Amino acid sequence: MSNRISAPAAAGILYLGICLTAIQAQAGPLSFVSSKGANSGNCASAATACLTFQYALSQTAAGGEIKALDPGNYGWVIINKSITITGVDGAGIVRGSPGDAVTINAGAEAVINLTGLTLDGFNKTAAVGIRLNSGGKLTIANCVIRRFGGDGVRLQPTNNSRFAIVDTISADNGGSGISVQPGTAAQVGGTVEGGTLANNLFGMNLIGPAGAEATVAVVNTIAANNANVGFRAGGTSPGYFAILTLRNVTVSGGSRFSNSIGVKADAFGAIMLAHSSVSGNATGVAKAGNGNILTYGDNNIDLNLNDNFGIMIGGTMH
């Protein structure tokens, strides 16, 4: 009997080998990064940890997780799929060049979770801490975002999107601590809880083009020493809706003689203010055009240069 393998059989064996190699090379569900790692291999264990988030992302399956093992600067990252990135104390991104620390360009069904990261724009050299261009759901938890030239967090999705920002500090940025500015016809809804928005131009700013909608609830959050406005909602045309609910928030301008406004509803914006404190601002509450601030009679608006609580709908403030 001949031991020779026919040409069709040899081709089949070669094809099987190629398939097995491809399977072995597939991205896994869990990857690791370390300040002592290297951008080689599959990042699948602590012993083979990679050096940067971007390389680890390429080695991680959609819906998987990247874990930082120790403090370090893991480089800016562009996210294009569902992923969880989990840091430890001191782990994150210092971007000392123009651009963003985290950019999200993912599909409309993608789910992105960012937890325990420190993002630093290096004296406002970098543009934005976290920029959402597209994606389905975004959660930011226990993060510190600081010193960016633009916004700490900029949510500008072109598709319908949901977000949650929990126990996060966004401070010392040249723009807003959190900016929500959906693209035309996009609907964005989200919550902010337990955070601090300090020393920015705006603490939180909701704005957008015609046809977009943004509905955001903020609870147990501090906006302090923001140069322009602590919390603002407004649009550019009647087709835009910006609805901001504030409950148990503290808004302080740090100086009554600054240019700061605690809470402001601009045209085509509505703010519902409950059980909150607004003090130490040049103006406590303000509105422009057909913007509205609705109160439930349980806020403390005091010790501003101009409290201006008479503009509010719903009753007495004190």
Side-chain angles (χ1 to χ4, degrees), residues 153-206:
V153 177
R154 185 176 180 87
L155 307 176
Q156 55 178 40
T158 54
N159 60 280
N160 295 346
S161 184
R162 301 293 178 262
F163 71 89
I165 302 175
V166 182
D167 294 333
T168 289
I169 297 171
S170 186
D172 306 313
N173 300 294
S176 301
I178 300 172
S179 172
V180 182
Q181 188 171 337
T184 301
Q187 298 179 350
V188 176
T191 58
V192 178
E193 181 176 3
T196 299
L197 309 171
N199 303 317
N200 307 290
L201 184 61
F202 291 83
M204 183 172 192
N205 192 8
L206 273 66

Side-chain angles (χ1 to χ4, degrees), residues 13-65:
I13 292 171
L14 177 60
Y15 176 77
L16 178 61
I18 292 172
C19 289
L20 290 173
T21 301
I23 291 171
Q24 292 171 353
Q26 282 181 350
L30 180 61
S31 296
F32 296 89
V33 293
S34 168
S35 60
K36 300 176 178 137
N39 284 340
S40 61
N42 58 15
C43 318
S45 69
T48 60
C50 301
L51 183 61
T52 66
F53 286 141
Q54 191 67 60
Y55 184 84
L57 183 68
S58 71
Q59 303 303 307
T60 311
E65 180 177 6

